[in-house]
Amino acid sequence: DPRAVISSMLEVGKRGKEKGIATPAFTRSPTVAINCVRKYLTAGLLAKQYNPDRIFEVQYEKLVKNPEMISKEMCGFIDVDWDPEMILPKNKKQFAHKFLTRAFYDENMYYRNPETKEIFKWKQNLSKSQIVMISTAFEKNYTLNELGYSFSTDSKFQLFKIIYKLKSYLNYCFERILKKIMQRIKKIPFILRLYRRLLTYIREPLY
């Protein structure tokens, strides 16, 4: 669910800000996060299309609800013996947690066992406007609809949806214009810095 993924991304940004840790742009802006998820989703679907025998599709909600069954299927796919400890990370210490940044995960989060309550946590963490923004961005995605995700929103947010779509279209047009300009004057350092600032500005979320 892109709402859950983006919610998780933005929570990383919040933790980073609280702890004074620099985090990627997609953790600080819903708009950048949406573009990031679109990019990764497209890449994953293309990978599955061209390499179906090498891609095992896992739906997060099913994994959390049935960790044993799904993890056994995953192990069978990659020809690895299944172990009960695979679904109980809390029971076994691992060296990888030493390399975690406190913004993305802390030790407690890293060792937390699968919990179904996390599935809809995005409803609490995202604002109403963010939910509408993300839902509008993915509501016509055929693959996500086929997987059972519904992106319907309250009718009272229709105006916001229209504004968001208009802003997205204007951003797209503005970026194309800027890129064409930069193709001609990209060697000028000042113009390059201005160009990057403008891109950052137009990708900022609309609240």
Side-chain angles (χ1 to χ4, degrees), residues 86-111:
M86 290 179 175
I87 58 174
L88 297 171
K90 197 172 185 178
N91 297 346
K92 187 174 182 179
K93 290 291 181 182
Q94 304 177 47
F95 73 91
H97 79 270
K98 297 178 181 179
F99 304 98
L100 297 172
T101 65
R102 291 175 297 153
F104 278 87
Y105 295 99
D106 57 29
E107 192 167 345
N108 290 330
M109 295 171 65
Y110 185 75
Y111 285 109

Side-chain angles (χ1 to χ4, degrees), residues 2-3 34 122 129-140 150-153 161 164:
R3 292 163 296 195
I34 287 171
W122 58 267
S129 61
Q130 289 172 338
I131 292 174
V132 173
M133 184 189 301
I134 299 166
S135 298
T136 303
F138 292 97
E139 64 183 354
K140 294 183 179 180
S150 174
F151 298 102
S152 59
T153 54
K161 290 180 67 173
Y164 171 72

Side-chain angles (χ1 to χ4, degrees), residues 148-192:
Y149 296 111
S150 174
F151 298 102
S152 59
T153 54
D154 197 308
S155 58
K156 67 182 179 181
F157 290 105
Q158 284 301 314
L159 179 60
F160 182 87
K161 290 180 67 173
I162 294 172
I163 294 173
Y164 171 72
K165 288 181 178 180
L166 178 60
K167 181 178 182 291
S168 298
Y169 177 72
L170 292 175
N171 285 353
Y172 169 75
C173 294
F174 193 37
E175 281 196 46
R176 291 197 64 183
I177 293 171
L178 282 175
K179 286 178 180 178
K180 287 184 178 181
I181 293 174
M182 285 307 301
Q183 289 175 356
R184 301 191 179 188
I185 55 177
K186 62 183 178 180
K187 293 183 180 179
I188 305 175
F190 169 76
I191 298 297
L192 183 59

Side-chain angles (χ1 to χ4, degrees), residues 51-113:
N51 301 279
D53 57 330
R54 300 181 63 185
I55 302 296
F56 183 82
E57 186 177 293
V58 180
Q59 197 168 354
Y60 172 74
E61 292 82 0
K62 291 181 180 179
L63 175 63
V64 174
K65 290 178 180 178
N66 301 288
E68 182 175 337
M69 181 184 74
I70 301 299
S71 60
K72 284 181 177 179
E73 291 178 359
M74 293 169 66
C75 287
F77 185 77
I78 59 176
D79 196 23
V80 170
D81 292 333
W82 184 82
D83 190 306
E85 290 188 338
M86 290 179 175
I87 58 174
L88 297 171
K90 197 172 185 178
N91 297 346
K92 187 174 182 179
K93 290 291 181 182
Q94 304 177 47
F95 73 91
H97 79 270
K98 297 178 181 179
F99 304 98
L100 297 172
T101 65
R102 291 175 297 153
F104 278 87
Y105 295 99
D106 57 29
E107 192 167 345
N108 290 330
M109 295 171 65
Y110 185 75
Y111 285 109
R112 185 177 61 204
N113 289 332

